[in-house]
Amino acid sequence: MRKFVDDVTIQNAYMQALEIIESVGVRFESEVVRELFKKQGARVEGDKVFIPRHLIEAALESTPKLDYSVPAKKRVVAATPFSNAPFILDDDTGAIRRCNIEDAIKMYQINETSSLYDCANPGCADPEGNDAPDQFIAQMAMVLKYSDKYPSIGLRATGSNSQNGDVYGSARRAFRLVREFYDVWDEPVMTQGICPNPPLAYDRECLDNLCAAIDEQQAISIFPCSLGFMTAPESIMGTVIHDFAMALAGLAFIQLKSPGHPTSLCEFSTISNIQTLQPNYGSTEGVFIQVIFYELCKFLSLPCAICGSYGDGTAVDYQAGMEALLTTMLPFSLTEVNEVWCYPGIMAGFSCGSFHKAILDEEMMRNTNRMLQGVEMKIDPKLPGLLADGQDAGSFLGIGSMDTYRRDNYLTKIFNKWGISQVDYAEKTNLAYKVHQVLESRIATYQLPERSTAQKRLLQQYLPSKCQY
């Protein structure tokens, strides 16, 4: 397979990232963090840290590695619906509104009733109706109540969703809650995503979340969220190198504070639309940025994921489908990646979620996996006889094997394959109608995960009143 970006370019990009960290520096808005770097020989000027190359190399040495040479079946897999969307598209009216507690519960019901999802996360970020004293911990408690899947948390504690604005305290208590819920104390039980602050900075809020995750020994994922020509350089390669330098600086801090701490990287940056100043996630350029970042991680054996099913529009239409499929499939054409992680239902560049799009994105993923994995091709010794019988009968409908047909053909339960003869039958041909039926069925079949009395008692004190047992 011809690589999208060659090895020499990747090596040069890595060397330039090291040069940026050493000579341009990265801002860390915490005196404690800066002091840690200073004690290890880094130059500090104000809130800017100039990290010497040997500290980055030491961090890379102590970070647990991923063996990219291990073969694996190619697939697309879902992390969670919506990622962290603060708004919801009302699929019936087309209106966009703030998400609420009912939306969040419905999101978990969709997440839990499909094997496509591997993780759980507060996909409806900071929902209205969350009346708990600590709204961040409440959202973590909802993950534990409504889902049995691995907590991979993209949402973080903020000054507005933490009790008394205590970001570090809220984050650490939330991580401790997960440990206590599972009664696991000697290994990570969740992953916390940390988004630095471009250009080249980690603000105090970000560092409070990062330090809490380190102190509670939870796995960490650093994922830059820069916008080309706004918070990052205007070129694709410039954006990637900026992001990788920023990620390496965070990695250096994590490994200085906790050598060997499990840390992965991911890229959520894209270009910006200079006409609207909005992010363009449903674009080839956004995929290019992800793939180059992934190749840099692969070059250093750092764990990294590529994500897909993005969308920029505000309607469930042709554009939404095209962008979701484009961003899901294109990475497989550009690099040797085994998995692409999707966030079904994403719209408006991470700002909005749609339940209808989530169901349609799931069906797109099933078709994509069908394409990636193919079918087992067998030569049937009985084929000549079958053809002779079919020739005599004029059709194979009465003599062929339905089991063989189902093995070699994917029968969609959602997309319209009925042709013009059924156009007047909405229950067969109208996608919105069919998606609504699937949603209602999924919600009806959802069962609240079983919890022990001790677990219920533990969660009760943190949940919003609408979610309490």
Side-chain angles (χ1 to χ4, degrees):
M1 176 180 179
R2 184 176 178 272
K3 297 184 68 173
F4 173 63
V5 57
D6 61 73
D7 293 339
V8 173
T9 301
I10 290 297
Q11 293 174 19
N12 289 339
Y14 168 57
M15 297 305 293
Q16 189 169 59
L18 291 179
E19 179 185 349
I20 290 167
I21 297 169
E22 283 187 307
S23 61
V24 179
V26 176
R27 296 185 186 278
F28 288 90
E29 296 182 4
S30 166
E31 186 175 350
V32 173
V33 174
R34 295 194 297 270
E35 191 61 29
L36 177 62
F37 275 115
K38 190 174 183 179
K39 288 180 179 179
Q40 298 297 321
R43 177 164 57 95
V44 176
E45 294 181 3
D47 62 359
K48 192 181 293 186
V49 179
F50 302 85
I51 307 173
R53 191 163 306 198
H54 74 270
L55 289 185
I56 299 295
E57 292 171 346
L60 292 172
E61 184 66 28
S62 64
T63 302
K65 302 298 190 298
L66 176 65
D67 185 355
Y68 283 88
S69 66
V70 176
K73 182 172 66 175
K74 292 186 181 297
R75 64 168 189 159
V76 293
V77 59
T80 186
F82 309 160
S83 184
N84 292 307
F87 293 92
I88 287 290
L89 169 69
D90 187 313
D91 293 298
D92 294 325
T93 67
I96 293 177
R97 56 172 174 76
R98 184 78 191 189
C99 64
N100 56 41
I101 289 290
E102 288 77 13
D103 297 319
I105 296 172
K106 185 177 178 181
M107 184 277 302
Y108 287 116
Q109 292 171 331
I110 298 305
N111 189 20
E112 202 70 9
T113 52
S114 172
S115 60
L116 288 169
Y117 298 96
D118 272 15
C119 306
N121 170 59
C124 298
D126 297 331
E128 290 182 338
N130 186 352
D131 57 0
D134 191 307
Q135 295 180 12
F136 178 69
I137 299 178
Q139 292 177 82
M140 197 74 78
M142 289 178 69
V143 172
L144 300 175
K145 174 177 179 177
Y146 292 106
S147 179
D148 268 333
K149 298 183 178 179
Y150 175 76
S152 182
I153 309 301
L155 184 73
R156 73 183 193 187
T158 67
S160 59
N161 68 15
S162 301
Q163 188 171 17
N164 301 322
D166 180 10
V167 173
Y168 173 83
S170 178
R172 187 157 190 186
R173 288 191 299 273
F175 301 153
R176 180 61 62 95
L177 169 64
V178 182
R179 280 206 177 283
E180 190 173 351
F181 180 84
Y182 290 116
D183 194 24
V184 175
W185 304 91
D186 57 350
E187 63 183 49
V189 292
M190 60 168 285
T191 299
Q192 175 63 51
I194 299 294
C195 178
N197 310 96
L200 293 173
Y202 286 78
D203 69 8
R204 182 56 184 263
E205 191 174 271
C206 174
L207 291 171
D208 281 348
N209 280 271
L210 189 54
C211 288
I214 296 171
D215 292 341
E216 282 300 322
Q217 299 179 309
Q218 301 295 357
I220 295 168
S221 176
I222 300 177
F223 49 76
C225 304
S226 306
L227 292 180
F229 217 0
M230 289 181 62
T231 58
E234 68 276 15
S235 71
I236 287 174
M237 186 59 78
T239 296
V240 175
I241 294 173
H242 160 268
D243 287 358
F244 201 67
M246 195 161 53
L248 287 179
L251 187 68
F253 166 63
I254 293 169
Q255 298 302 317
L256 278 178
K257 187 172 173 61
S258 177
H261 198 97
T263 310
S264 60
L265 305 183
C266 190
E267 175 72 295
F268 286 117
S269 298
T270 188
I271 60 169
S272 57
N273 187 324
I274 200 63
Q275 296 174 308
T276 64
L277 303 184
Q278 294 296 305
N280 282 2
Y281 278 99
S283 64
T284 54
E285 294 82 6
V287 178
F288 291 165
I289 290 171
Q290 281 201 85
V291 167
I292 301 170
F293 189 92
Y294 174 84
E295 290 287 347
L296 279 163
C297 291
K298 188 176 180 180
F299 172 67
L300 298 170
S301 298
L302 294 172
C304 181
I306 290 181
C307 298
S309 74
Y310 294 131
D312 295 324
T314 53
V316 184
D317 54 12
Y318 184 94
Q319 175 184 335
M322 186 281 291
E323 290 177 341
L325 181 60
L326 169 74
T327 56
T328 298
M329 276 304 301
L330 185 55
F332 293 104
S333 300
L334 300 178
T335 184
E336 287 288 344
V337 63
N338 293 322
E339 295 180 336
V340 168
W341 288 78
C342 295
Y343 293 94
I346 279 184
M347 303 189 74
F350 282 99
S351 296
C352 181
S354 159
F355 286 103
H356 278 204
K357 183 174 181 289
I359 298 300
L360 291 169
D361 282 348
E362 289 178 14
E363 187 67 2
M364 175 273 294
M365 291 174 61
R366 294 186 190 97
N367 280 272
T368 299
N369 278 326
R370 177 72 170 175
M371 178 167 52
L372 290 171
Q373 296 162 17
V375 296
E376 183 180 356
M377 298 299 177
K378 293 183 177 180
I379 301 297
D380 185 357
K382 299 179 181 179
L383 182 60
L386 179 65
L387 291 176
D389 292 342
Q391 188 180 50
D392 292 339
S395 169
F396 294 91
L397 287 174
I399 59 178
S401 166
M402 182 56 72
D403 289 340
T404 302
Y405 176 82
R406 290 186 180 278
R407 182 197 71 191
D408 285 6
N409 295 272
Y410 174 69
L411 300 178
T412 179
K413 296 180 180 179
I414 295 180
F415 292 154
N416 178 10
K417 303 290 186 178
W418 293 95
I420 61 173
S421 65
Q422 304 293 317
V423 70
D424 293 327
Y425 297 92
E427 66 274 14
K428 291 184 176 181
T429 61
N430 185 287
L431 276 182
Y433 177 87
K434 295 174 76 174
V435 167
H436 179 74
Q437 295 300 109
V438 171
L439 276 169
E440 292 296 309
S441 174
R442 292 266 290 275
I443 292 170
T445 59
Y446 170 81
Q447 293 184 336
L448 197 65
E450 291 186 10
R451 300 291 181 242
S452 68
T453 301
Q455 287 176 323
K456 290 179 180 179
R457 187 181 302 116
L458 175 64
L459 297 180
Q460 183 78 355
Q461 57 188 310
Y462 300 112
L463 288 164
S465 58
K466 290 184 179 180
C467 303
Q468 290 179 357
Y469 289 99

